[in-house]
Amino acid sequence: MNLRNLPWFVLGAVIVMLIAGFPLIASGYHLALGISYLYFTVLATAWALFSGPTRYISLATVAFFGIGAYTVAVFGELLPWPLVLLAAGIIGVGVALVVGLSTLRLSGIYFVIFTFGLAELIRQLVTWYEVNIHGSVGRYIFVAISRNEIYWQLLALVVLVFLVGWLIGRSRLGLALRVIGEDETVARHAGIDTTKAKLTLFAISAFFMTLTGAVMAPRWTYIDPAIAFSPMLSFQVVIMALLGGAGSLIGPVLGVIPLVILFDVLSAYFPNYFSILLGIVFILIVYVLPHGVVGFLQKHWPRRSQAPAIAILRPAARRSLLAVEQLRKSFGGLVAVDDLSFTIEPGEIVGLIGPNGSGKTTVLNLISGALRPDSGEVRFKGQPIVGLNPYRVARLGVARTFQLVRVLPTMSVIENVISAIAHRERPLWGASAERTAGGLLMRVGLTDKAALHAGQLTYIDQKRLELARALALEPEVLLLDEWLAGLNPTELGEGIALIRSLQDGGLTIILVEHVMDAIRSLCGRCIVMNAGKKIADGPPATALADREVVRAYLGEADA
Ligand code: ADP
Ligand code: MG
């Protein structure tokens, strides 16, 4: 061990001993306070494990907490204590999976409301069961667990939740969740199975909440649904996590420290106004510290990030083929894509052009899985891909960019690329993922900006980054939606050269584009659309000279 670290090591050991030995020296009141600290630490940290990266605000904390407490009330006397805890954990995870499957499609405020409703629903169900089946609304808890033991069990949970959080933070799953939090659409098109990632974390988070409820249950000798499922708890946990900062592992604890005391004082002196005061605290935190204490610190003492390693991109030259067959998609009365068929041969760059609103972006959305057609089929190497989730299409080897550029703004440039590398068909992680990402950034000319936040990039650099992220999937087909739009003449020249170099690497490209010079210089063939229909398909010179094509474009100019 390095001797310079010795004082820190000693200090750490003393703190650990003080925390672990606290029940032996503390008075009743202080021990109760210590228990509050620990259980809110577990709850807030577990809450932030899921809600921090995904930014899905869950008010279901108390649902799981209450389930844990009730498991103890029901099984406490029947089973040995470790089995009671195990049962609680299993039930909590089971409920989380069922609930998660049905709710994680919701986002934003709908998710918040649903989780709140869920907690209420479970409370009502338990109440109904207790009154009608069990015969009395409350239960007595007779388990011989002392307060000291509760304290130590909670401490073990704290250690465990931090360990798990730390592991997740370093894993592909952790990165996937952060991408989901930034932009869920991008996540799907970057190969991330968003449902699985969210569900996994929701269940892990619920596991800890349920166990906390179970460990805490012997504190009460009597529980009823109103005690075990008090919605106030969910709000307290959200407030604590937000105050500290839900985006980092240590953040929630920084919120727990002041707020346990504050809530204790408020409920002792102003019991009747507690919920109003809670609301005021909540609003203050959201306005004053929207990213929590940790966000505030990071803003004022930003960490220096390291430059990534560089590697050479491996060429992605394989045979590929895409066939669009009688594709049709309407939005209400508007037929955006109308009986469209075409094929793309391996190694081609095909221009997909047409006036605004002719359905080009919709075609890309149908191919990439963002939209499901009303009828028709898309085949990739002979395999039907209509109806597949976007992340599946992406992993199969069809990557895309977006017409309105979409980067993950608060993640670093290199992380933007790694997010796709870590979730493609042949994922890489750790140093090799960084090397590959570095190679891709070099290829698009972003090497020296790897450590910046993607949101800090200029427009053209964001476009480059989006391209690198698409390439990170090792695609065989690349769908570029007006990728060259808005570039100045120099940038346009560079962009055209870049796209051509991709073709040389064996990539097949569909280029939706308005810049006709680019179409003429890059595309061997172009498909012209008007009002959802294909009106021409051939070499640019021929297709653009077609009378119907001229009319379509002039018609638009007249309008
Ligand atoms: P392009 O990319 O060729 O400009 P789009 O594919 O974006 O055209 O749009 C084709 C037509 O479909 C337009 O009239 C557009 O307004 C409509 N459209 C596209 N997406 C949607 C949607 N999600 N909901 C309703 N209408 C849409
Ligand atoms: Mg478009």
Side-chain angles (χ1 to χ4, degrees):
M1 193 179 70
N2 191 334
L3 271 186
R4 265 191 313 171
N5 291 336
L6 191 63
W8 291 113
F9 185 77
V10 172
L11 183 69
V14 169
I15 290 177
V16 168
M17 269 168 15
L18 270 182
I19 293 178
F22 184 68
L24 304 175
I25 51 174
S27 69
Y29 171 74
H30 288 121
L31 182 57
L33 205 59
I35 287 177
S36 292
Y37 269 115
L38 292 181
Y39 95 85
F40 275 117
T41 298
V42 184
L43 290 179
T45 308
W47 182 88
L49 281 187
F50 171 75
S51 296
T54 59
R55 303 181 195 182
Y56 277 61
I57 304 288
S58 163
L59 288 176
T61 306
V62 81
F64 298 109
F65 182 87
I67 286 173
Y70 257 88
T71 310
V72 172
V74 175
F75 296 114
E77 288 174 88
L78 306 176
L79 298 173
W81 185 239
L83 285 187
V84 177
L85 292 185
L86 185 68
I90 291 173
I91 296 172
V93 167
V95 172
L97 291 178
V98 172
V99 169
L101 269 179
S102 51
T103 60
L104 287 172
R105 284 171 219 286
L106 306 173
S107 54
I109 192 70
Y110 299 106
F111 183 78
V112 184
I113 292 169
F114 191 96
T115 51
F116 183 72
L118 169 82
E120 279 303 294
L121 177 73
I122 292 185
R123 179 164 76 108
Q124 298 293 345
L125 283 177
V126 172
T127 308
W128 181 88
Y129 180 90
E130 295 293 78
V131 170
N132 293 293
I133 314 278
H134 181 244
S136 79
V137 74
R139 287 174 187 258
Y140 289 92
I141 296 179
F142 299 113
V143 270
I145 304 265
S146 70
R147 287 214 291 183
N148 288 8
E149 286 166 329
I150 291 177
Y151 180 94
W152 284 315
Q153 288 173 16
L154 289 171
L155 192 58
L157 276 182
V158 169
V159 173
L160 199 62
V161 77
F162 274 102
L163 187 67
V164 168
W166 182 76
L167 288 173
I168 291 173
R170 297 167 53 94
S171 71
R172 293 166 56 212
L173 177 62
L175 179 67
L177 288 155
R178 284 170 54 214
V179 178
I180 292 170
E182 292 269 302
D183 190 329
E184 203 160 336
T185 304
V186 168
R188 277 196 284 269
H189 288 286
I192 294 172
D193 185 346
T194 51
T195 308
K196 189 168 119 195
K198 287 188 290 184
L199 200 59
T200 308
L201 245 286
F202 193 62
I204 291 174
S205 162
F207 174 78
F208 282 104
M209 293 168 176
T210 316
L211 277 187
T212 308
V215 168
M216 285 295 288
R219 289 275 283 133
W220 300 300
T221 41
Y222 169 88
I223 64 167
D224 64 32
I227 299 176
F229 293 97
S230 154
M232 215 60 80
L233 183 78
S234 298
F235 285 102
Q236 281 173 297
V237 167
V238 174
I239 293 171
M240 287 168 172
L242 290 185
L243 172 66
S248 78
L249 192 55
I250 201 71
V253 186
L254 300 181
V256 169
I257 291 170
L259 288 183
V260 164
I261 292 280
L262 180 69
F263 290 152
D264 199 50
V265 170
L266 290 184
S267 64
Y269 291 97
F270 310 99
N272 297 331
Y273 303 103
F274 185 63
S275 24
I276 294 176
L277 292 169
L278 203 66
I280 293 173
V281 172
F282 179 67
I283 291 167
L284 278 179
I285 288 171
V286 170
Y287 273 98
V288 180
L289 287 174
H291 300 289
V293 174
V294 169
F296 178 82
L297 292 177
Q298 276 170 352
K299 196 165 154 198
H300 292 84
W301 289 281
R303 248 192 313 174
R304 279 190 297 160
S305 29
Q306 305 120 357
I310 303 299
I312 305 302
L313 176 74
R314 110 182 65 167
R318 275 177 284 164
R319 290 188 61 81
S320 67
L321 179 81
L322 192 74
V324 167
E325 297 164 4
Q326 294 169 341
L327 214 51
R328 184 186 162 87
K329 177 74 190 176
S330 55
F331 298 107
L334 178 100
V335 183
V337 173
D338 194 356
D339 196 22
L340 184 75
S341 302
F342 60 81
T343 57
I344 309 284
E345 301 311 317
E348 269 193 307
I349 301 185
V350 176
L352 182 59
I353 63 176
N356 277 328
S358 56
K360 307 177 298 290
T361 298
T362 307
V363 172
L364 298 197
N365 283 336
L366 291 168
I367 296 175
S368 63
L371 290 175
R372 210 181 250 264
D374 304 333
S375 60
E377 187 55 83
V378 179
R379 285 180 207 281
F380 176 59
K381 294 197 280 190
Q383 181 188 349
I385 58 172
V386 153
L388 290 186
N389 227 299
Y391 83 88
R392 293 213 158 277
V393 178
R395 287 187 191 175
L396 281 175
V398 181
R400 71 172 295 179
T401 64
F402 295 88
Q403 181 170 348
L404 301 172
V405 62
R406 284 177 103 143
V407 294
L408 309 163
T410 70
M411 291 170 71
S412 75
V413 166
I414 193 155
E415 279 178 321
N416 266 260
V417 181
I418 291 176
S419 61
I421 294 176
H423 297 94
R424 65 190 188 190
E425 189 65 29
R426 293 183 297 159
L428 295 177
W429 187 238
S432 47
E434 280 187 25
R435 269 198 308 279
T436 309
L440 287 165
L441 290 181
M442 183 161 76
R443 183 147 188 195
V444 300
L446 284 177
T447 299
D448 48 349
K449 298 177 181 143
L452 295 182
H453 279 173
Q456 296 173 286
L457 295 180
T458 58
Y459 179 68
I460 163 78
D461 282 345
Q462 294 199 357
K463 291 213 145 192
R464 289 191 168 117
L465 177 57
E466 227 194 353
L467 183 61
R469 189 180 64 214
L471 294 175
L473 291 163
E474 292 190 306
E476 293 180 53
V477 174
L478 184 60
L479 313 175
L480 296 178
D481 199 351
E482 304 201 18
W483 191 78
L484 294 163
L487 306 189
N488 68 34
T490 322
E491 294 165 344
L492 186 63
E494 289 169 12
I496 290 177
L498 185 56
I499 293 177
R500 186 170 293 125
S501 76
L502 299 178
Q503 182 188 32
D504 295 341
L507 206 55
T508 306
I509 300 171
I510 298 185
L511 192 66
V512 169
E513 203 49 70
H514 279 305
V515 185
M516 285 306 158
D517 286 345
I519 295 286
R520 284 197 192 89
S521 76
L522 282 170
C523 303
R525 180 157 74 93
C526 70
I527 296 166
V528 189
M529 289 182 71
N530 190 30
K533 287 193 162 67
K534 181 168 91 174
I535 56 171
D537 184 346
T542 332
L544 291 174
D546 185 280
R547 275 183 51 200
E548 203 180 341
V549 173
V550 173
R551 205 176 319 125
Y553 273 94
L554 287 183
E556 185 197 28
D558 286 347

